[in-house]
């Protein structure tokens, strides 16, 4: 602690994390060292909890990545003011990367007796395959197709997209 010009004892704490050059925190505790010790204890507990949460998240991501299998069908649902659904199939994978192709889809009009249908039902059509092979980094149980599309495992259930004429 330090004594200021009025003779009051003040405790200062400067906290750095890892190899940072600038401090994360720079605090003055005029109530004395006990308040500073309490803050330091809570700060380190928070840092440890954050590091543990990061490790848990990474372990979950790696466990989910193991579920990405060759032959698996994935889908994306995306769009602004409309919903588009696209399907993909894994053709090859390594520990951290996936190679995939686009699949076609079968689209069915949703019949609605009282009004025009505003959405269509679609399912993957593995008989229609794209020729181009794309590569992406596995992230969790899927991968990022583009800045606005994330491929997720398809459960085999029909997906809904905006109907033709309502945005397509």
């Amino acid at each position: 602690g330090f004594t200021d010009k009025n003779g009051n004892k003040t405790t200062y704490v400067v906290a750095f994390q890892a190899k940072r050059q600038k401090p994360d925190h720079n605090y003055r505790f005029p109530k004395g060292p006990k308040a500073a010790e309490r803050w330091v204890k809570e700060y380190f507990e928070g840092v440890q909890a954050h590091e543990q949460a990061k490790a848990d998240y990474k372990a979950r991501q790696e466990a989910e990545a193991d579920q990405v299998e060759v032959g698996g069908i994935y889908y994306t649902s995306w769009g602004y003011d409309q919903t588009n659904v696209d399907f993909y199939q894994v053709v090859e994978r390594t520990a951290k990367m996936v190679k995939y192709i686009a699949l076609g889809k079968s689209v069915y009009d949703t019949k609605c007796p009282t009004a025009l249908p505003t959405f269509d039902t679609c399912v993957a059509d593995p008989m229609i395959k794209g020729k181009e092979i794309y590569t992406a980094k596995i992230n969790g149980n899927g991968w990022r197709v583009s800045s606005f599309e994330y491929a997720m495992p398809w459960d085999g259930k029909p997906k809904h997209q905006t109907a033709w004429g309502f945005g397509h």
Side-chain angles (χ1 to χ4, degrees):
F2 296 94
T3 305
D4 64 12
K5 61 184 176 182
N6 298 328
N8 298 323
K9 281 207 159 255
T10 301
T11 303
Y12 293 90
V13 173
V14 179
F16 294 86
Q17 230 182 331
K19 297 179 181 180
R20 295 182 183 153
Q21 298 295 316
K22 294 183 180 181
D24 292 334
H25 303 284
N26 190 351
Y27 292 133
R28 180 175 149 256
F29 294 89
K31 293 186 178 179
K34 291 212 185 275
E37 288 173 14
R38 196 169 40 252
W39 182 88
V40 168
K41 181 179 181 239
E42 290 172 4
Y43 174 72
F44 280 115
E45 287 172 354
V47 168
Q48 289 173 338
H50 179 72
E51 291 300 319
Q52 183 62 47
K54 281 178 20 181
D56 293 346
Y57 176 77
K58 186 175 181 180
R60 266 194 324 274
Q61 291 286 84
E62 289 173 357
E64 288 177 354
D66 290 342
Q67 297 172 8
V68 176
E69 295 179 350
V70 173
I73 298 177
Y74 289 73
Y75 78 100
T76 62
S77 179
W78 58 277
Y80 180 79
D81 283 346
Q82 70 182 37
T83 303
N84 303 291
V85 176
D86 294 317
F87 292 95
Y88 302 95
Q89 187 170 32
V90 176
V91 293
E92 188 179 325
R93 75 157 285 179
T94 63
K96 296 185 179 189
M97 301 296 284
V98 64
K99 289 187 178 187
Y100 62 96
I101 58 172
L103 290 180
K105 60 185 168 186
S106 297
V107 179
Y108 306 96
D109 288 335
T110 302
K111 302 299 179 203
C112 183
T114 58
L116 291 172
T118 57
F119 65 90
D120 288 333
T121 302
C122 58
V123 294
D125 187 348
M127 300 304 290
I128 304 171
K129 296 184 179 192
K131 292 183 172 59
E132 189 170 351
I133 296 176
Y134 303 95
T135 304
K137 182 179 178 188
I138 297 172
N139 182 4
N141 63 350
W143 62 88
R144 185 160 299 286
V145 174
S146 69
S147 64
F148 52 87
E149 289 180 274
Y150 183 81
M152 301 171 282
W154 184 46
D155 57 6
K157 295 178 182 174
K159 299 297 173 193
H160 299 292
Q161 68 180 13
T162 304
W164 183 87
F166 286 88
H168 281 269

